[in-house]
Amino acid sequence: MTRVRDFSITQKLTWMNMLVSGTALLLATGAFLGYARVVYRQTMVRYLTMRARVVGANCVSAVLFDDPKGAGDTLSALRADEHIVGAWVYTPQGEPFAGFWRDGGGSAPRMPAIAKGKPEAFWFANDQLMLIRAITFQGKLTAFVFFESDLNELRERQVRYLEIGALVLLASLLTAFLASRFFGQFVARPIRALFDTARAVSHDKDFSIRAAATDSHDEIEVLVRAFNEMLEQIQERDEAVRKSAASLAEAQQVAHVGSWEWNVETDRAWWSDEMYRLYGVEPGEFAPSLENALTRIPPADREMVRKGLQDGYEGRKPIDFDHRIVLADGSERIVHARAAVAAAEPGKPVRVVGILQDITARKRAEIAVRKTEEMLRFFVRHAPAAIAMLDREMRYLVVSERWITDYRLEGRSILGLCHYDVFPDLPEPWHEIYERCMRGAVETCEEDPFPHPDGTLDWLRWEVRPWRNVDDSIGGIIIFSELITERKRSEEELRKSQLQLAAVIETAMDGIIKVNEEQRIEIFNPSAETMFGCKASLALGRPLDFLIPERYRDAHGEHIRLFGESNVTRRTMGKPGIVWGKRANGDEFPIEASIAQAEVAGRKMYTVILRDITERKRAEDTLNKRTEELAQSQQTLEQKVQELARSNADLEQFAYIASHDLQEPLRTVASFAQLLQRRYKGKLDSNADEFIHYMVDGASRMQGLINDLWAFSRVGSRGKEFAPADFATIVELALSNLQTAIAESHAEVTHDPLPTLKCDGAQLAQVFQNLVGNGIKFHNSQSPHVHIGAIRKDSEWVFSVKDNGIGIDPQFNQRIFEVFQRLHTRKEYPGSGIGLSITKKIVERHGGRIWVESQPGEGANFLFTLPA
Amino acid sequence: MIRRVGKLSRISLAIAAVAACLLASRTLAIATAHTEYEVKAAYLYNFGRFVEWPQNSAASHENEFTICVLGHDPFGPALDATISGEKIDGKNVVARRISKVEEAAGCRVIFITPTKGGQMKGILAALGNSSMLTVSDMPKFVEDGGMVEFVMTEERVRFEINLTAARQVGLNLSSELLKVAARVTQAPIQGE
């Protein structure tokens, strides 16, 4: 078959013709032979039947009258027919009656049967036709005739037919061959020429080539003409395509739109020149594919691009998205991608055609616009005024935060709502104002009361004006309003304070004068009138100078100038606090003045407050004289104090020395008295024992007194330098000294957190020891509880030692601090009565005070202070 | 079909043979095995089938085709058996045995027994021009003016025909009959 396909048209034509004619002939011959055979057989049968009938009829009488010879004669007529091989007549009983075989030999065959009801039967066997026929005579079966005929004639005829067929076949094949050759010239050659032209066109893509015309007027000529016309159209179209491709490329370049195409089945992609330009690549160096394109897309966008395309290919949603492209120089480009997907069936894309549009400029402009818009919105929102922008239907477009707060709309989202819905109770005049502004009017109001639903009243300053679209049509209105309630109130207050000030100025005891930069009087109050004996009407507008004595005027002017240059806002005038004024009648008088300056609108103003101190000056003079006298007497007093101190010190020194020096003889007395008592107790009479006891007792008491006195005297003279000391440690020390007493009386001693102060620690320990010891000592039936407190009060610490003991009658509050003062007998509470005196002395040495707060039976609270 | 002839045709041959036997039982036929008069009886009947009678003959008006046997019947039951149920020209074939020639009216075929041989000329004369086929096995019957005379040749029953006699009475004998006749004479009838 391949070989046939490669045949030239001429060969094909030849073969075709020969094949057709050959096949037709063969088929015809075959059909004819078959038909001839059938027809021949039918004819043979018919012929034999006819013969059988004739012979049968001729034999009837022979059979009926038993004349085999006669029948044989009749049959032998058949010998003339060379195809009859044998002929026999049978009686109706099937017995052979007469007949012959052509070859002479053999007996009659057994009579073949005939199907019942049929007049004859025939069959072919061994190239022979056998036929038997029943012969009736006058409706009665009379005999059977049997023939056997050969078919040699048929065979001869068939051979003849075949010979003729073969001859005709040869002749027709030859004719077909020659005819194909001949007509092939008129078919194949022009087609060949056409073929060569077509190949040249397709190879060179030169559509200007034309096929040569043929001289025949058949379909081939039409074909050639059509081919040339087609070429012409293709040439035109090619030209048009070339042009439109060029203009498309140009258009793409101008519009910055690239286009691409992807054939899914072949997986081939095509990019327009502008596509390459958008990606900043050269067509020759960059294979157009998604993977290559992705390398130029920033990583952040890649997944989005991939997914966007995939969704598009699978038909989930259209391909329509923006992404960025990074160029070789690092700059970015924003592009908009769109594509149409041609799918054979949903989800099976066949071809994708897309565009890529450079929208960098638009995107940047959009961003700029958005930014501007955002800024504008921000500006409006944060403007320190209530601003609302509404559209023609009075819906809120943008409002400032102040609008929300001023109109108490916090927590409501009003953007998009209608102004009238937000303020359903808006008075009718407002509707009219808005409508006028919608028509282009600008309305303002400086002060307008705005009652709130809750009954409060705000004051507004407002302005309503239309805003316009780009085409100058009115797009809506802008409402600007300022809540001036505060301003209104402050104005009110200012007026009030001005009135008050005026009243103050009017009624002030001091003269008040206000001058401007040129020193001209602007305010001159009644007191000043009285002071200077000059009516305000005469003073106002005049220079201040006329109120100053001539000799001070220059100095005063300089003074004011310097003050004006300084930044001091107010001060007293005059070094000694006194300046001199001049009354209208020329009298001079002393004045105490203070001056204040203020700058209002760039101009200096000075306010001077004056007080006529003539009287005070006089009183001061008297006072000065007295003070001088007092100073003299004080000096005398100081001398006396010094003397007293000296004598006090002497006394202290004496007490110290005395108590120290007295100790030695006293110790001797006591020692020997005790020795006497030990050695001679019971050896002398009873009186002697008693006397010795009194002597020992007295001596030991005296020793105690002397020790106390010594201690007391040492407080002032033998004190240490003050140093910072922790009072907790001090109290600790004091309590350790009282350990025995505390243990014996089961006392409880507590204290607050205690400070660290500069003091003589040993002496302060003495103080706490004395006070706590007293607290424990003077207990009643309860077990003693003493608490030490410490509170800072201003510049000093207040310490307290509070007990739950017997308490002190307030009448003894002072006495208990005196030396050797006791409220109880020695028997009741032992002690020399000097402890509190020492305590007081130590506290006072530290610059503190000590006192007691107590009621009998309610415990005592000793308090003392120390400077912090 | 042709190629399968062997078996099928043998079967059909057997069937046909049986059918033929059945047919034979109902049909008269000549067979050498038959007695002479059985054959002759069949010939009598068959003669009737090869002869045309004139349209206006007396016999043609009869409703039956009558074969008469004049004289002593030599056939026995053979004749009756032969013609039983047979028809010629649509008429039932019957046999009538007569003893006098006068009784022969209405007969188509008349077999004249040899016993009356002496009187043959008288019988034939008595029959005159009646359209009857006269048959006899009397020797010289045809010379005497009879129409058909049985003769025995080689142990076969043959017959001779006097065509002239037959034509005289208007009988037309089929050529087929003439063809198988042993001899056909056209001699003139004696006495004319």
Side-chain angles (χ1 to χ4, degrees), chain A residues 697-821:
Chain A
D697 185 48
S700 74
R701 268 196 298 131
M702 185 142 178
Q703 272 184 316
L705 282 170
I706 295 231
N707 274 336
D708 286 348
L709 194 61
W710 188 61
F712 181 73
S713 68
R714 282 199 335 170
V715 170
S717 58
R718 296 294 190 273
K720 286 184 191 147
E721 291 286 306
F722 289 178
D726 182 2
F727 270 58
T729 315
I730 291 169
V731 168
E732 205 65 37
L733 180 64
L735 295 182
S736 73
N737 290 342
L738 291 167
Q739 208 170 356
T740 316
I742 290 169
E744 281 175 356
S745 58
H746 305 293
E748 190 187 356
V749 181
T750 57
H751 64 80
D752 286 347
L754 298 168
T756 299
L757 294 173
K758 235 176 165 186
C759 64
D760 183 336
Q763 289 189 344
L764 260 304
Q766 182 70 51
V767 167
F768 284 110
Q769 192 177 334
N770 288 352
L771 292 175
V772 173
N774 277 353
I776 293 169
K777 190 160 72 180
F778 297 103
H779 68 84
N780 49 23
S781 53
Q782 300 174 36
S783 61
H785 175 216
V786 180
H787 179 76
I788 300 166
I791 297 169
R792 167 116 193 203
K793 262 191 187 160
D794 299 333
S795 60
E796 57 187 17
W797 279 88
V798 178
F799 293 92
S800 59
V801 180
K802 191 175 187 327
D803 62 52
N804 59 344
I806 56 173
I808 300 162
D809 194 321
Q811 59 172 312
F812 303 120
N813 280 1
Q814 292 303 316
R815 227 181 100 191
I816 55 169
F817 292 108
E818 287 168 18
V819 180
F820 300 134
Q821 287 297 330

Side-chain angles (χ1 to χ4, degrees), chain B residues 127-190:
Chain B
L127 289 175
N129 283 334
S130 330
S131 304
M132 278 181 232
L133 182 73
T134 53
V135 183
S136 178
D137 48 7
M138 282 270 292
K140 304 242 188 210
F141 181 66
V142 284
E143 280 82 17
D144 288 342
M147 295 172 197
V148 179
E149 180 194 329
F150 288 121
V151 290
M152 292 302 287
T153 312
E154 298 165 1
E155 311 243 328
R156 284 175 176 271
V157 179
R158 306 302 313 151
F159 56 87
E160 293 174 0
I161 295 172
N162 185 341
L163 193 57
T164 311
R167 281 179 178 164
Q168 204 165 16
V169 295
L171 293 180
N172 188 12
L173 273 62
S174 162
S175 63
E176 288 297 312
L177 185 63
L178 301 182
K179 197 171 72 184
V180 294
R183 187 172 62 100
V184 177
T185 61
Q186 297 203 1
I189 295 159
Q190 290 186 349

Side-chain angles (χ1 to χ4, degrees), chain A residues 137-156:
Chain A
F137 177 68
Q138 292 178 352
K140 286 190 57 148
L141 177 72
T142 310
F144 292 101
V145 177
F146 171 78
F147 289 150
E148 190 171 324
S149 169
D150 66 24
L151 299 175
N152 289 345
E153 194 187 345
L154 173 64
R155 205 161 35 242
E156 283 157 18

Side-chain angles (χ1 to χ4, degrees), chain A residues 41 57-68 74 91-95 97 110-116 123-126 137-142 144, chain B residues 2-3 5 9 12-17 19-21 23-24 26-32 43 45-47 49-50 86 88 156-159 176-177 179-180:
Chain A
R41 283 182 174 214
N58 285 335
C59 289
V60 165
S61 55
V63 174
L64 283 178
F65 296 103
D66 192 21
D67 184 13
T74 307
T91 62
Q93 285 76 32
E95 288 159 7
F97 183 70
R110 210 184 138 83
M111 193 192 84
I114 301 174
K116 198 175 176 186
W123 63 97
F124 293 88
N126 307 324
F137 177 68
Q138 292 178 352
K140 286 190 57 148
L141 177 72
T142 310
F144 292 101
Chain B
I2 294 161
R3 289 188 63 82
V5 152
S9 57
S12 55
L13 282 181
I15 294 166
C21 290
L23 253 169
R26 301 261 306 124
T27 310
L28 278 182
I30 333 103
T32 48
Y43 279 26
Y45 163 67
N46 282 337
F47 289 146
R49 299 167 71 190
F50 285 92
E86 296 294 338
I88 293 173
R156 284 175 176 271
V157 179
R158 306 302 313 151
F159 56 87
E176 288 297 312
L177 185 63
K179 197 171 72 184
V180 294

Side-chain angles (χ1 to χ4, degrees), chain B residues 80-152:
Chain B
D80 289 324
T82 301
I83 60 166
S84 163
E86 296 294 338
K87 286 187 178 183
I88 293 173
D89 283 346
K91 295 176 180 173
N92 288 328
V93 181
V94 293
R96 182 147 49 103
R97 286 153 182 97
I98 51 175
S99 49
K100 292 175 189 154
V101 78
E102 289 79 18
E103 294 169 20
C107 290
R108 298 268 191 146
V109 178
I110 185 162
F111 182 79
I112 303 163
T113 55
T115 49
K116 296 280 185 186
Q119 307 158 347
M120 191 56 70
K121 285 201 177 165
I123 293 170
L124 287 175
L127 289 175
N129 283 334
S130 330
S131 304
M132 278 181 232
L133 182 73
T134 53
V135 183
S136 178
D137 48 7
M138 282 270 292
K140 304 242 188 210
F141 181 66
V142 284
E143 280 82 17
D144 288 342
M147 295 172 197
V148 179
E149 180 194 329
F150 288 121
V151 290
M152 292 302 287

Side-chain angles (χ1 to χ4, degrees), chain A residues 156-463:
Chain A
E156 283 157 18
R157 267 194 222 177
Q158 280 175 338
V159 168
R160 247 187 335 270
Y161 290 155
L162 280 172
E163 283 165 2
I164 295 166
L167 277 174
V168 172
L169 183 64
L170 268 177
S172 67
L173 285 181
L174 189 64
T175 315
F177 179 76
L178 293 174
S180 302
R181 286 280 151 173
F182 178 71
F183 286 107
Q185 285 178 15
F186 303 106
V187 177
R189 201 187 296 142
I191 286 178
R192 178 81 206 181
L194 199 59
F195 166 74
D196 289 340
T197 313
R199 195 146 69 174
V201 169
S202 79
H203 182 263
D204 302 335
K205 301 279 184 280
D206 180 358
F207 300 110
S208 62
I209 297 173
R210 293 289 179 273
T214 61
D215 45 6
S216 58
H217 299 289
D218 56 6
E219 289 91 334
I220 291 171
E221 190 210 3
V222 177
L223 185 66
V224 167
R225 208 161 46 218
F227 182 71
N228 282 343
E229 276 169 22
M230 188 183 77
L231 278 179
E232 198 142 332
Q233 284 172 2
I234 288 173
Q235 192 178 3
E236 279 168 24
R237 224 165 285 172
D238 185 51
E239 201 67 28
V241 165
R242 230 183 270 278
K243 248 186 244 170
S244 89
S247 61
L248 180 66
E250 209 172 315
Q252 289 199 347
Q253 194 172 356
V254 171
H256 298 296
V257 176
S259 60
W260 56 275
E261 211 180 303
W262 180 42
N263 187 323
V264 181
E265 285 168 339
T266 61
D267 192 23
R268 286 180 64 169
W270 169 88
W271 281 18
S272 75
D273 290 349
E274 187 59 20
M275 272 298 281
Y276 291 104
R277 236 183 327 267
L278 284 176
Y279 273 87
V281 294
E282 289 299 320
E285 301 160 1
F286 192 83
S289 72
L290 175 61
E291 289 312 312
N292 277 347
L294 282 173
T295 61
R296 300 290 173 142
I297 293 172
D301 286 5
R302 277 179 203 161
E303 200 43 48
M304 183 270 292
V305 170
R306 215 190 283 272
K307 192 171 182 326
L309 289 174
Q310 201 59 39
D311 284 350
Y313 296 159
E314 285 162 22
R316 278 194 289 278
K317 58 180 182 186
I319 296 174
D320 191 341
F321 52 82
D322 297 348
H323 66 86
R324 291 169 296 168
I325 293 171
V326 180
L327 301 184
D329 63 3
S331 61
E332 268 191 5
R333 181 169 277 170
I334 304 168
V335 291
H336 177 64
R338 287 179 69 172
V341 179
E345 59 188 84
K348 283 263 174 75
V350 176
R351 190 158 153 272
V352 187
V353 181
I355 60 149
L356 201 68
Q357 186 176 10
D358 186 352
I359 54 164
T360 313
R362 199 185 78 196
K363 211 71 182 173
R364 280 187 187 143
E366 266 178 26
I367 289 167
V369 166
R370 206 179 305 144
K371 204 165 154 192
T372 312
E373 215 165 76
E374 204 58 40
M375 276 163 62
L376 196 65
R377 254 168 223 286
F378 185 84
F379 176 73
V380 171
R381 198 173 317 129
H382 297 286
I387 300 172
M389 192 169 178
L390 300 102
D391 65 11
R392 286 206 69 90
E393 277 73 46
M394 294 298 287
R395 285 190 297 254
Y396 284 100
L397 296 176
V398 56
V399 293
S400 68
E401 283 172 2
R402 270 295 274 279
W403 181 276
I404 303 287
T405 53
D406 282 1
Y407 292 105
R408 304 174 190 179
L409 300 167
E410 292 92 339
R412 290 181 63 183
S413 169
I414 60 167
L415 286 187
L417 295 182
C418 180
H419 184 62
Y420 298 132
D421 294 336
V422 175
F423 297 102
D425 302 326
L426 202 67
E428 189 56 34
W430 278 107
H431 293 244
E432 289 163 11
I433 289 167
Y434 293 147
E435 277 160 27
R436 279 200 297 278
C437 292
M438 279 292 186
R439 289 194 292 271
V442 177
E443 304 243 344
T444 61
C445 181
E446 284 304 316
E447 281 183 17
D448 199 16
F450 183 82
H452 283 288
D454 62 6
T456 57
L457 184 75
D458 269 330
W459 285 86
L460 294 179
R461 184 170 82 79
W462 55 260
E463 181 175 320

